[in-house]
Amino acid sequence: MMHHIGSWCTIADLNAPLKLLGMLGVLNVVQGCYEVKVKKASRPLSAIESHYVYVAIVTYDSKAIVINGERRILISGSIHYTRSTPEMWEDLVMKAKDGGLDVIDTYVFWNVHEPSPGNYNFEGRYDLVKFLKTVKKAGMYVHLRIGPYICAEWNFGGFPVWLKYVPGISFRTDNEPFKNAMKGFTEKIVNLMKSEKMFESQGGPIILSQIENEYGSNWGQVSHGSCANKMMPPDPIINTCNGFYCDEFSPNKPYKPTIWTEAWSGWFTEFGGPVYERPVQDLAFSVARFIQKGGSFFNYYMYHGGTNFGRSSGGPFITTSYDYDAPLDEYGLIRQPKYGHLKELHKVIKECELALVSSDPIITSLGSLQQAHVFSPKSQCAAFLSNYDPNNVAKVTFNNVHYTLPPWSISILPDCKNVAFNTAQIGVESTKMEMLWSDSNMFSWETYNEDLNIVDESSIITSMGLLEQINITRDTSDYLWYTTSVDVDSSESFLHGGELPKLLVQSRGHALHVFINGEYSGSSFGTRKHRKVMYKEKINLHGGINKIALLSVAMGLPNIGGHYETWETGVLGPVALYGFDKGKRDLSWVNWSYKVGLKGESMNLISSNPTSSVTWTQDSLITQKQQPLTWHKAYFNAPKGDSPLALDMNSMGKGQAWVNGQSIGRYWTTFASGNCQGCHYAGTYRPLTCQLGCGQPTQRWYHVPRSWLKPKNNLLVIFEELGGDPTKVSLVKRSITSN
């Protein structure tokens, strides 16, 4: 998912064993997308074959997805298994079910499942099959979004970085190397699902699957909320919509159902930006508006957003928190009134289901900005009374009865008489999310200063000129050292009272720390919208040989944009010195040395058993030093109770943190800029409509899953890039209180 919309490739039931379906004549295959249609068998079926046919048949018509011959209004929510822990999955899924959902939607994350070609990982948080079995156990369906491109504010859009280096590849185009790689991963996932009997026709939970994602954005169709419905995917693929509103969307063929694969419950957060909320009144209004226009399947993106653990966030500059203002917050707690108000909406929609799937709406005007959508098959009558005026209450007459409609709202009448639900009228008590002190204290703080002297010559790359960062690191680390030497003649004027020279460094991102002769000189940072970095400051040089070391820091790889695999990162120049007696000295094409990662990374300082001996300093003066590029570690005991936990990093600057060797993610306490001038639900929503947290750190708290903790002596390791006071880092509890 991303803020750019595209057309989708959604498939009705990627299903039973291919050999069986082929024998029955029920499998159509088009460009990797599969659809099951019931056809007459070519011969009498055995008992086992009959079982496969009758376990569940998933197809569709113009009105809806059809399961076992019944049209269904299906309510779905996105929960990503990688953004939580296996210990959280059952609770998340059950809360989704209790909230009125039928379907759990998840992407499949190629880069975590195939970190190197042919080597697969489905363990721990990446145990896709276990997650799907959890959904099945709850009696829910699955929409499996295989991708392989997912966007998702995820590193490299879900593509493994090694894919970039396949000879001759061009992402998301009619390119044989790309199609072969995509085919290989897709078949791997499909075959895994088949072997585990995960498809509905095998008795599993998967009723829908998706190939590709938001392809319209690849064609430059990037407006908010627009559905790239001009795209014409080949049959039997169903094209669908993403956006804040999708009531104007219609599929490209009249015999396909209207599906909304991403109804955005909020918006993602970027470091340096505010937190965005979407009022539940507007979200409910958008869903009711979609249903009254004949929509039959909608999915909340996200229903639970979760956490970008490790270095998984993309963007770049996407925060570690992927809360998304979802009905279930980042920690899995119920967010009210969003959760409860939507639950009531789902209940009323289900009351109208038979009428909705059995007839087309009759639309009548009730005023200049008011309408009635009436579904009235013989068995039932349901009505939606809409007021599109964002400012004024509307009094309307429908079937000789008077109704009052709040601004920007829809009233739902399951019997065409009585209002059972209005999108703008909330009957659920609100709750407040708080971070509370826990009874866990950090103890035994120790410090290790990152060694700026490159000792291991075997790990150094040397080149004339500046090299692109990802080509060297292959994304094995956020960090890359660029180092060169400058010989300063003792006669230079600035050595004898003159003005200090200036160093200019231009970088393609995303952050830069400058060291002159082993001393920290300064930093510069990009943003998500302006990834490029420029550093131009006076520096101290001495006569003779001077060492200039530039630490370039990546903040996640891009996840969307045309041919983003070609986008460059790192110090690509120019790099120059100004203020010498003979003018500018261009360093862009001198000899540079490169070192991937930090010494602390290579020594595995995040582990309780480092790979080599490390002398940590037990320093009572730690708060006074606050040096850049410093490792800190401490121990703590797990707090009592079962409340979700987080690290309060308000006293720190920028870096990464680990608990018992597990990466909490990137932290950065940079302040949020924006326009936090209040929020009103009425009117067309955009993220800028509702901003929070201006002037505060974009993200102060970082989720620590309880399942990662031992009762005692848990190891916290922090790598701080800028300098901070780790002794003020604390573990807090996420709590809900009633307003």
Side-chain angles (χ1 to χ4, degrees):
M1 133 65 209
M2 186 60 175
H3 60 298
H4 300 335
I5 320 306
S7 204
W8 293 66
C9 193
T10 308
I11 325 112
D13 205 12
L14 249 155
N15 318 45
L18 293 178
K19 181 178 179 182
L20 172 64
L21 291 178
M23 180 172 61
L24 298 179
V26 298
L27 179 66
N28 292 327
V29 182
V30 181
Q31 293 188 357
C33 298
Y34 307 81
E35 174 203 7
V36 166
K37 290 184 177 179
V38 182
K39 296 184 180 180
K40 184 177 180 180
S42 58
R43 58 168 174 74
L45 304 179
S46 68
I48 189 170
E49 292 166 350
S50 298
H51 168 75
Y52 275 118
V53 172
Y54 292 111
V55 163
I57 297 168
V58 183
T59 183
Y60 62 80
D61 61 18
S62 62
K63 291 296 296 177
I65 300 296
V66 180
I67 302 177
N68 286 336
E70 292 186 3
R71 292 173 176 155
R72 297 287 306 275
I73 299 291
L74 293 172
I75 302 171
S76 176
S78 290
I79 298 175
H80 294 158
Y81 55 100
T82 57
R83 284 172 158 145
S84 55
T85 64
E87 292 77 8
M88 296 171 65
W89 290 344
E90 185 172 3
D91 180 65
L92 294 172
V93 169
M94 290 309 301
K95 284 174 178 173
K97 183 177 183 179
D98 291 344
L101 270 57
D102 308 294
V103 182
I104 297 298
D105 167 296
T106 186
Y107 285 129
V108 180
F109 296 77
W110 186 0
N111 62 341
V112 304
H113 291 308
E114 194 179 4
S116 60
N119 295 311
Y120 295 97
N121 180 9
F122 292 94
E123 302 295 323
R125 286 189 294 117
Y126 308 148
D127 193 341
L128 173 60
V129 170
K130 181 176 180 177
F131 178 73
L132 299 187
K133 287 181 176 178
T134 303
V135 178
K136 179 186 177 183
K137 180 183 175 183
M140 300 180 73
Y141 296 124
V142 167
H143 177 200
L144 190 70
R145 302 169 72 179
I146 298 173
Y149 169 74
I150 61 171
C151 189
E153 289 76 62
W154 192 258
N155 199 49
F156 222 39
F159 287 144
V161 172
W162 58 258
L163 193 68
K164 171 181 167 77
Y165 301 99
V166 172
I169 202 163
S170 177
F171 284 9
R172 306 181 74 197
T173 61
D174 187 8
N175 170 267
E176 290 302 320
F178 176 73
K179 290 191 293 185
N180 288 337
M182 180 174 174
K183 178 174 180 286
F185 179 71
T186 302
E187 288 184 347
K188 173 69 177 181
I189 297 301
V190 171
N191 289 333
L192 175 63
M193 296 300 100
K194 285 165 50 188
S195 68
E196 296 287 344
K197 295 182 169 51
M198 286 289 104
F199 294 115
E200 183 68 13
S201 52
Q202 301 173 285
I206 301 173
I207 59 167
L208 290 170
S209 196
Q210 178 187 311
I211 200 78
E212 243 292 330
N213 177 29
E214 291 179 342
Y215 198 75
S217 63
N218 223 34
W219 291 5
Q221 299 176 356
V222 297
S223 61
H224 275 293
S226 66
C227 306
N229 53 11
K230 293 181 180 179
M231 290 184 61
M232 304 293 282
D235 286 331
I237 299 165
I238 308 170
N239 65 316
T240 71
C241 180
N242 289 1
F244 291 114
Y245 308 93
C246 279
D247 50 286
E248 295 299 321
F249 171 77
S250 58
N252 60 16
K253 295 292 175 63
Y255 50 80
K256 296 179 180 179
T258 303
I259 295 178
W260 187 2
T261 27
E262 289 187 12
W264 297 334
S265 61
W267 204 237
F268 59 85
T269 311
E270 59 194 78
F271 284 115
V275 174
Y276 301 105
E277 288 190 344
R278 186 179 187 188
V280 68
Q281 301 97 317
D282 178 68
L283 180 56
F285 175 69
S286 68
V287 168
R289 201 168 168 177
F290 176 73
I291 293 295
Q292 75 177 7
K293 292 289 290 288
S296 58
F297 181 109
F298 61 93
N299 173 69
Y300 295 107
Y301 190 102
M302 299 292 297
Y303 199 77
H304 169 257
T307 308
N308 293 316
F309 296 113
R311 300 186 303 111
S312 61
S313 62
F317 295 98
I318 300 297
T319 56
T320 298
S321 171
Y322 200 64
D323 181 86
Y324 226 88
D325 195 33
L328 302 179
D329 80 345
E330 177 184 359
Y331 302 84
L333 301 179
I334 289 174
R335 173 175 275 121
Q336 298 286 26
K338 184 164 277 189
Y339 177 92
H341 192 55
L342 294 176
K343 179 177 180 176
E344 292 300 312
L345 170 64
H346 304 156
K347 178 182 176 182
V348 173
I349 288 174
K350 290 297 186 179
E351 291 176 14
C352 303
E353 183 174 29
L354 181 59
L356 295 172
V357 301
S358 302
S359 62
D360 294 324
I362 297 172
I363 305 171
T364 57
S365 175
L366 302 177
S368 59
L369 292 172
Q370 294 77 36
Q371 286 182 331
H373 288 69
V374 181
F375 298 80
S376 56
K378 294 179 181 179
S379 57
Q380 185 182 6
C381 180
F384 291 65
L385 308 184
S386 307
N387 179 16
Y388 303 116
D389 190 328
N391 301 309
N392 300 299
V393 172
K395 295 184 180 299
V396 301
T397 301
F398 171 71
N399 285 350
N400 298 318
V401 179
H402 299 295
Y403 297 89
T404 299
L405 306 179
W408 200 252
S409 77
I410 295 175
S411 287
I412 303 177
L413 292 61
D415 59 0
C416 284
K417 295 179 183 178
N418 300 295
V419 176
F421 182 87
N422 178 272
T423 58
Q425 295 178 332
I426 297 175
V428 180
E429 186 178 10
S430 296
T431 55
K432 182 180 180 182
M433 306 294 190
E434 294 182 307
M435 293 300 192
L436 304 178
W437 174 86
S438 76
D439 57 356
S440 177
N441 297 314
M442 305 290 169
F443 57 88
S444 301
W445 278 107
E446 295 179 289
T447 297
Y448 171 81
N449 295 325
E450 177 69 17
D451 190 349
L452 302 185
N453 296 310
I454 300 174
V455 178
D456 184 6
E457 296 292 336
S458 64
S459 64
I460 298 174
I461 300 169
T462 303
S463 173
M464 294 294 290
L466 297 162
L467 301 179
E468 197 275 339
Q469 181 165 345
I470 308 305
N471 286 341
I472 302 176
T473 67
R474 300 295 172 105
D475 199 34
T476 57
S477 170
D478 279 356
Y479 303 100
L480 178 64
W481 284 104
Y482 292 70
T483 306
T484 194
S485 296
V486 176
D487 190 1
V488 176
D489 192 280
S490 60
S491 65
E492 286 287 348
S493 299
F494 66 80
L495 296 175
H496 305 281
E499 186 174 348
L500 291 175
K502 280 187 176 181
L503 172 66
L504 167 70
V505 182
Q506 290 197 12
S507 172
R508 296 293 180 92
H510 305 129
L512 181 73
H513 306 305
V514 178
F515 295 82
I516 306 298
N517 295 320
E519 296 293 324
Y520 175 67
S521 183
S523 301
S524 187
F525 307 96
T527 66
R528 184 173 154 269
K529 295 178 179 63
H530 303 286
R531 297 182 303 278
K532 293 182 180 179
V533 173
M534 185 175 76
Y535 177 89
K536 191 173 185 180
E537 301 291 341
K538 292 179 180 179
I539 60 171
N540 285 304
L541 298 177
H542 55 66
I545 302 299
N546 294 262
K547 180 180 175 182
I548 297 177
L550 310 175
L551 183 60
S552 181
V553 187
M555 290 287 289
L557 302 188
N559 53 270
I560 194 167
H563 295 291
Y564 66 76
E565 75 273 17
T566 66
W567 296 5
E568 294 179 314
T569 301
V571 180
L572 297 176
V575 177
L577 285 167
Y578 295 84
F580 281 72
D581 291 346
K582 294 183 179 179
K584 180 180 79 170
R585 292 180 64 170
D586 190 344
L587 304 181
S588 302
W589 291 100
V590 301
N591 200 48
W592 287 87
S593 296
Y594 299 87
K595 176 72 168 62
V596 175
L598 306 167
K599 187 172 183 181
E601 288 179 309
S602 64
M603 293 190 299
N604 198 27
L605 293 187
I606 66 172
S607 170
S608 56
N609 297 303
T611 55
S612 58
S613 60
V614 178
T615 303
W616 291 86
T617 303
Q618 293 184 344
D619 195 344
S620 60
L621 302 177
I622 187 173
T623 58
Q624 296 179 22
K625 290 189 174 182
Q626 296 197 19
Q627 286 183 262
L629 305 196
T630 302
W631 296 81
H632 305 282
K633 76 172 182 177
Y635 292 88
F636 64 94
N637 298 330
K640 297 175 183 177
D642 57 4
S643 299
L645 303 173
L647 285 174
D648 183 347
M649 302 295 287
N650 199 43
S651 65
M652 304 303 288
K654 179 181 181 297
Q656 298 181 38
W658 298 262
V659 170
N660 293 332
Q662 298 266 25
S663 176
I664 298 300
R666 301 183 184 101
Y667 70 85
W668 192 11
T669 54
T670 183
F671 282 9
S673 61
N675 182 9
C676 299
Q677 298 298 316
C679 175
H680 186 55
Y681 81 88
T684 301
Y685 175 82
R686 293 293 179 264
L688 297 180
T689 305
C690 296
Q691 303 179 46
L692 298 174
C694 300
Q696 301 172 21
T698 297
Q699 186 176 349
R700 173 177 174 176
W701 296 287
Y702 295 79
H703 182 201
V704 180
R706 274 196 176 264
S707 60
W708 292 3
L709 300 184
K710 304 176 293 185
K712 295 183 178 298
N713 293 322
N714 296 282
L715 174 63
L716 168 66
V717 177
I718 298 170
F719 175 67
E720 170 59 46
E721 296 175 22
L722 301 174
D725 184 354
T727 64
K728 293 181 180 176
V729 171
S730 62
L731 202 64
V732 295
K733 294 182 177 181
R734 180 75 159 177
S735 177
I736 302 176
T737 56
S738 298
N739 280 346

